[in-house]
């Protein structure tokens, strides 16, 4: 039978691969990109957010998340929950309405799109006749009222979306009861707001943009009351008992209107311009909330004086003598108030205000004095400062985890202790099997520690490196300090702050040792900080050391930015990770690679000029190695320099391609006449343009010239205890790979523990490997005698890994952008290679070792390489035989920033940025899968006129 099997086809291995590998995009962490609409169901206690790309996301208790996507990818304009139902309606900017339902399937709830509908007018009518501007789901749960630009209100049956033409409320019918002189001055224009009477479902309040407001009787199809406003209307809000309502207007005023039981023409009770008398911005939304103590909460968006505060994004809360204008750092999309929704309750008694801003979600506790913010358990604003790098650490020891949480809790003292108020649904996902950290470096010099164990990405702790340096801003500045007589009473809220004091502060590399608690971070201006965890505030001097990476070179002049200036004397640090030594690279170029060995107390760092090794126990530089090639002038310009122009880089690309073509023709010994040369040049131009595509379809590995720019750029650093000099003695070593395809290996002599402070660490270069194709080296790995990757520092000491096999021969795996190559150690002779680019036309962008466990048995697991390419594919390659196991499309090849931001975990999961504010989480493993699994049960309806209905019925409608 073996004769008939395809070469390399092994049925047993194929079955095992199915048990090991499976690709899933599981959950989106962070804040939705470009939110456009907000909805809330007090019945389900769920919040919905719509985006400009047509996504709709539902959130409840932590871990309760649902997502749907409209096929049209149009902007979601409005979201309305159907009262007392597990359903909601969305309105898109193409004027289409969509009905969504939460249905139970396989023991969990799912969000599904049931129906879609577009309101159409009679033939020949203008689009404005049916352009929906206001939506009111009626409490009967049978119909929707749709206000339009024409002033007409259409009635649509649910769930069929059938238009009930005989119940249409026309603007002509409304104007019949309005005084003639008012009608002559003002037409109805568009419907701005529709509100159902809180005590009488047969009456609805209709507000028109020109200021006219009418109370319409649905049973008798007539106007019972009309309210003649003189200002352009923005919104309406009923008071709880239905005796009064509030209208807010374009001129920054709001008006309180009584609704009498007789048919007398009502006059406004009061008209208030909160921030007058000067011209003010519109008040676009208002709430009037009653309380037991008699003082109402008046909460409104906008209304600021135009001249001085027209650029502010504010929501004001007024309660008796207390008044605060919350000043948000980005535009307010919408907001809602959480208050008592029991029909029998006499008062609103508001508890929280939930504000969706363009860049973050802010929740304000209205029960606690001072109205503090509530720390959100999800929807974190990841991009409060732009993310510059990421680092994932799996399986954090409990002690380190608790110390990080303790440090973070001391930073959160200004937050409210209120439980999260949006708590609908039940999370039924299993508890995470381990504690995982995702560390993000930011442009403002901060590192944020996120709990990435489960569905909710929750901020644990924020570390700032700014205090070490002298910057223009004082870290003790308080943006919220206001004078006692300050008016308007503005108060900054939110964490979104995209402006960095100095771009040189940006964090480029992070390395955390979870066993020792040592942390190394490196930045844009060549700064490398080594930190340790301290549970208390401390004040100490940060030791400084300089690493001159050009010490043996002459004729080079750095044209980039200067290094950051450091503070003299002791610096006060809060509890958490505190720097104790700073290594400053010279020239102060971006740190491109970083490695920390906490057992040997060594940190290695690399830039575009070379790499160095620092002993952070003795606080002494061990050595530096310059990797510059004589032609590496671009490496001296720096990332913030304007010297390098697009024209120059394009010219160099064309020259490089032309050189390689000419040299290949010379090797072939070809010669031709002028016409052949012209044809060759034309073909070259066409080929050159094809070469510049983001992802070549197919390309052979081509040897690169040593004159290519940035060949000395250090891409990867790696510590290993292996056989470097001979096969009888192993020793500590440091490996470095560059952009020019060179691998350097240094033997290290680390003194034993008892003499560690007395004797210096010594280093000596032992090997230098030059890959023939000169492709950038993106990964280096040493395999022990069992072909297993060497364990992490201190992993064996903590009994979390087997000791490496030092009896068999070790192997060196070098991963370049274009191929994988295995060498024997210590001779460094080539043993095996896999050429990736020659076959698929792709390049390696990220590579890591991941452990894959079988979903069928706990007894089997294996280590493989997880590889991300520039085409956005993820490939799993076996160790040590370098066989391609499976390939998955993951990221669009055009999404260059998404590919660059990808980070793999140790157990076959990964994260990448799908927008500046969102991580997409994916899994390659059948065993390790973190995804939302939750259920929303329909609560019992307490009101007499509502019928109880279950949400768990199955529906064959398609799943979105």
């Amino acid at each position: 039978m073996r004769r008939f099997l395809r070469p390399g086809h092994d049925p047993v291995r194929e079955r095992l691969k199915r048990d090991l590998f499976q690709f899933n995009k599981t959950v989106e962490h962070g804040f939705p990109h470009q939110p456009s609409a907000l909805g809330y169901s007090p019945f389900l206690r769920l919040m919905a957010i719509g985006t400009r790309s047509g996504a709709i996301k539902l959130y409840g208790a932590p871990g309760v998340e649902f997502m749907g996507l409209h096929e049209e990818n149009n902007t979601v304009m409005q979201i309305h929950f159907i009262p007392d139902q597990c359903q909601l309606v969305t309105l898109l900017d193409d004027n289409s309405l969509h009905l969504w339902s939460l249905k139970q399937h396989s023991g969990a709830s799912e969000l599904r799109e049931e129906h879609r509908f577009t309101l159409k007018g009679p033939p020949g009518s203008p689009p404005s006749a049916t352009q929906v501007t206001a939506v009111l789901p009626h409490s009967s749960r049978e119909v929707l009222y749709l206000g339009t630009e024409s002033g007409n209100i259409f009635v649509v049956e649910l769930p069929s979306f059938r238009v009930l033409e005989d119940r249409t409320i026309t603007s002509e019918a409304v104007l019949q009861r309005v005084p003639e002189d008012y009608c002559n001055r003002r037409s109805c224009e568009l419907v701005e707001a529709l509100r159902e009477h809180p005590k009488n479902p047969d009456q609805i309040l209709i507000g028109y943009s020109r200021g006219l407001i009418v109370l319409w009787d649905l049973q008798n199809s007539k106007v019972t009351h009309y309210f003649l406003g003189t200002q352009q209307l923005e919104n309406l809000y009923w008071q709880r008992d239905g005796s009064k309502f509030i209208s807010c207007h374009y001129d920054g005023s709001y008006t309180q209107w009584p609704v009498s039981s007789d048919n007398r023409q009502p006059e406004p009770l009061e008209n208030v311009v909160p921030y007058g008398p000067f011209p003010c911005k519109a008040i676009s939304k208002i709430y009037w909330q009653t309380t037991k103590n008699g003082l109402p909460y008046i909460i409104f968006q906008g209304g600021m004086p135009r001249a001085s505060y027209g650029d502010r994004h504010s929501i004001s809360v007024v309660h008796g003598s207390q008044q605060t204008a919350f000043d948000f750092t980005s535009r307010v999309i919408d907001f809602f108030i959480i208050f008592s929704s029991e029909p029998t309750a006499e008062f609103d008694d508001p508890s929280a205000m939930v504000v969706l801003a363009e860049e973050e979600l802010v929740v304000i506790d209205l029960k606690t004095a001072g109205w503090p913010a509530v720390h959100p358990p999800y929807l974190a604003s990841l991009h409060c400062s732009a993310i510059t790098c990421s680092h994932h650490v799996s399986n954090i020891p409990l002690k380190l985890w608790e110390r990080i949480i303790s440090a973070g809790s001391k930073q959160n003292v200004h937050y409210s202790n209120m439980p999260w108020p949006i708590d609908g649904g039940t999370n039924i996902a299993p508890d995470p099997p381990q504690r995982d950290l995702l560390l993000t470096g930011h442009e403002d010099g901060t590192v944020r520690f996120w709990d990435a164990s489960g569905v909710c990405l929750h901020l644990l702790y924020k570390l700032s490196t700014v205090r070490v340096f002298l910057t223009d801003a004082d870290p003790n500045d308080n943006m919220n300090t206001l004078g006692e007589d300050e008016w308007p009473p503005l108060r900054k809220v939110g964490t979104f702050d995209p402006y960095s004091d100095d771009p040189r502060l940006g964090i480029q590399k992070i390395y955390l040792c979870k066993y020792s608690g040592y942390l190394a971070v490196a930045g844009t201006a060549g700064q490398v900080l080594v930190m340790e965890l301290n549970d208390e505030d401390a004040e100490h001097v940060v030791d400084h050391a300089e690493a001159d990476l050009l010490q043996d070179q002459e004729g080079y002049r750095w044209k980039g930015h200067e290094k950051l200036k450091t503070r003299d004397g002791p610096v006060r640090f809060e509890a958490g990770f505190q720097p104790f030594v700073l290594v400053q690279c010279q020239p102060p170029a971006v740190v491109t690679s970083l490695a920390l060995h906490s057992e040997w107390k060594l940190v290695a760092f690399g830039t575009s000029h070379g790499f160095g090794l620092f002993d952070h126990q003795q606080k002494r530089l061990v050595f530096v190695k310059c990797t510059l090639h004589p032609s590496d002038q671009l490496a001296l310009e720096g990332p913030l320099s304007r010297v390098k122009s697009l024209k120059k880089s394009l010219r160099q690309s064309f020259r490089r391609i032309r050189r390689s073509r000419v040299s290949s023709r010379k090797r072939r010994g070809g010669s031709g006449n002028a016409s052949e040369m012209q044809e060759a040049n034309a073909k070259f131009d066409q080929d050159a343009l094809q070469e510049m595509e983001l992802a070549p379809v197919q390309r052979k590995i081509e040897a690169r010239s040593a004159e290519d720019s940035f060949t000395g750029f250090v891409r990867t650093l790696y510590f290993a205890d292996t056989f470097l000099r001979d096969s009888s003695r192993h020793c500590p070593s440091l490996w470095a790979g560059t952009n020019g395809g060179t691998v350097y290996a240094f033997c290290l002599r680390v003194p034993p523990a008892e003499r560690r402070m007395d004797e210096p660490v010594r280093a000596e270069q032992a090997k230098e490997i030059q890959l023939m194709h000169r492709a950038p080296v993106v990964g280096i790995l040493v395999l022990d005698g069992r072909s297993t990757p060497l364990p992490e520092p201190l992993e064996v000491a903590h009994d979390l890994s087997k000791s490496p096999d030092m009896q068999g021969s070790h192997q060196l795996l070098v991963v370049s952008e274009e191929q994988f190559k295995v060498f024997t150690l210590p001779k460094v002779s080539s043993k095996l290679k896999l050429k990736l680019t020659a076959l698929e036309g792709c390049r390696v962008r990220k590579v890591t070792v991941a452990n894959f466990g079988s979903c069928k048995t706990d007894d089997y697991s294996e280590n493989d390489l997880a590889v991300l390419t520039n085409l956005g594919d993820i490939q799993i390659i076996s160790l040590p035989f370098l066989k391609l196991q499976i390939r998955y499309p993951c990221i669009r090849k055009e999404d260059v920033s998404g590919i660059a931001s990808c980070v793999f975990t140790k157990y076959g999961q990964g994260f990448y940025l799908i927008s500046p504010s969102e991580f997409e989480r994916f899994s390659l493993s059948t065993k390790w899968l973190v995804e939302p699994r939750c259920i929303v049960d329909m609560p019992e309806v307490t009101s007499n006129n509502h019928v109880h209905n279950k949400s768990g019925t199955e529906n064959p409608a398609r799943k979105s």
Side-chain angles (χ1 to χ4, degrees), residues 239 246-247 254-258 267-272 288 298:
Q239 290 192 21
I246 316 294
S247 62
Y254 65 83
T255 306
Q256 191 173 185
W257 303 85
E267 292 293 326
L269 294 175
E270 63 171 343
N271 182 269
V272 180
W288 185 291
I298 305 166

Side-chain angles (χ1 to χ4, degrees), residues 327-329 360-362 364 373 415 491-497:
D327 185 11
F328 297 87
T329 55
E360 62 187 324
L361 184 83
V362 178
I364 304 295
Y415 280 109
R491 188 177 112 200
K492 278 271 186 195
V493 286
T495 59
F496 179 70
D497 183 12

Side-chain angles (χ1 to χ4, degrees), residues 471-478 567:
T471 59
D472 296 334
D474 184 346
N476 297 316
D477 281 351
N478 187 357
R567 294 180 184 272

Side-chain angles (χ1 to χ4, degrees), residues 316 343 466 772 800 874 923 933:
S316 299
V466 178
M772 294 299 291
L800 294 170
I874 290 178
S923 175
R933 185 168 171 78

Side-chain angles (χ1 to χ4, degrees), residues 667-714:
R667 283 197 299 273
R668 289 196 300 268
S671 61
N673 56 28
S675 62
E676 286 175 342
M677 287 297 290
Q678 283 181 343
E679 189 180 331
N681 283 337
K683 186 176 185 305
F684 154 71
D685 290 338
Q686 187 179 355
D687 290 344
L689 288 171
Q690 288 175 353
E691 283 280 299
M692 291 165 64
E693 291 291 328
L694 269 174
V697 177
Q698 190 161 22
R699 190 181 67 78
K700 291 183 178 179
I701 292 182
E702 205 169 74
R704 305 183 188 202
S705 166
E707 296 176 7
D708 284 7
S709 296
F710 287 111
T711 55
F713 184 118
V714 179

Side-chain angles (χ1 to χ4, degrees), residues 12-272:
V12 176
R13 180 61 191 172
E14 292 301 315
R15 279 197 301 272
L16 183 58
K17 279 159 58 171
R18 287 194 292 271
D19 296 343
L20 293 172
F21 311 124
Q22 182 182 343
F23 179 75
N24 289 286
K25 290 186 179 180
T26 56
V27 66
E28 292 175 4
H29 295 302
F31 185 76
H33 185 50
Q34 296 182 325
S36 56
L38 177 68
Y40 178 67
S41 168
F43 176 69
L44 300 174
R45 298 183 73 84
L46 293 178
M47 170 179 67
I49 295 176
T51 71
R52 288 192 211 170
S53 59
I56 178 169
K57 300 184 179 187
L58 270 62
Y59 299 92
V64 176
E65 295 185 15
F66 303 95
M67 180 179 169
L69 187 64
H70 296 89
E71 283 187 3
E72 296 80 4
N73 288 347
N74 288 71
T75 299
V76 180
M77 302 299 291
Q78 296 182 35
I79 302 172
H80 300 273
F81 281 88
I82 309 299
D84 306 336
Q85 290 287 300
C86 289
Q87 291 182 313
L88 64 153
V89 170
T90 56
L91 171 67
L92 305 190
D93 65 350
D94 64 353
N95 206 41
S96 63
L97 287 157
H98 302 254
L99 179 66
W100 298 80
S101 295
L102 284 168
K103 297 286 185 181
Q104 288 190 17
H105 176 70
S106 302
S109 298
E110 292 179 350
L111 182 65
R112 299 179 181 180
E113 186 178 353
E114 302 274 8
H115 299 287
R116 65 184 62 192
F117 162 77
T118 301
L119 187 63
K120 291 184 172 61
S125 61
S128 62
T130 54
Q131 184 68 44
V132 178
T133 56
V135 179
L136 172 64
H138 194 261
S139 60
S140 66
R141 308 189 294 277
E142 295 173 352
V143 291
L144 285 177
Y145 290 90
L146 306 177
T148 62
E149 278 188 5
S150 62
N152 296 329
I153 298 165
F154 296 89
V155 186
V156 176
E157 189 178 53
L158 285 177
S160 64
F161 279 134
R162 183 169 64 91
V163 180
L164 305 177
E165 295 182 3
D166 57 324
R167 292 171 64 175
T168 300
I169 304 170
T170 64
S171 56
E172 290 80 11
V174 168
L175 291 173
Q176 286 176 1
R177 275 294 308 272
V178 179
E180 199 168 316
D181 63 328
Y182 189 88
C183 296
N184 292 338
R185 283 188 290 117
R186 297 165 182 272
S187 65
C188 284
E189 277 211 350
L190 63 87
V191 178
E192 198 70 63
L194 293 170
R195 297 287 180 264
E196 183 179 334
H197 195 291
K199 298 296 183 184
N200 184 358
D202 290 333
Q203 291 183 333
I204 62 171
L205 198 62
I206 306 170
Y208 297 92
S209 63
R210 285 287 182 91
L212 173 65
I213 305 165
V214 300
L215 188 62
W216 181 267
D217 185 338
L218 297 172
Q219 291 290 337
N220 301 309
S221 299
K222 68 174 185 178
V223 172
T224 61
H225 297 75
Y226 57 85
F227 309 86
L228 306 179
T230 57
Q231 290 292 335
Q232 182 175 322
L233 181 72
E234 291 289 320
N235 221 319
L236 299 170
Y237 187 78
W238 277 107
Q239 290 192 21
R240 191 178 188 92
D241 60 0
S243 64
K244 295 189 271 300
F245 69 87
I246 316 294
S247 62
C248 54
H249 302 275
Y250 183 76
D251 66 342
S253 67
Y254 65 83
T255 306
Q256 191 173 185
W257 303 85
V259 180
S260 57
S261 56
D262 54 28
N263 289 334
R264 282 186 300 108
Q265 169 56 34
E267 292 293 326
L269 294 175
E270 63 171 343
N271 182 269
V272 180

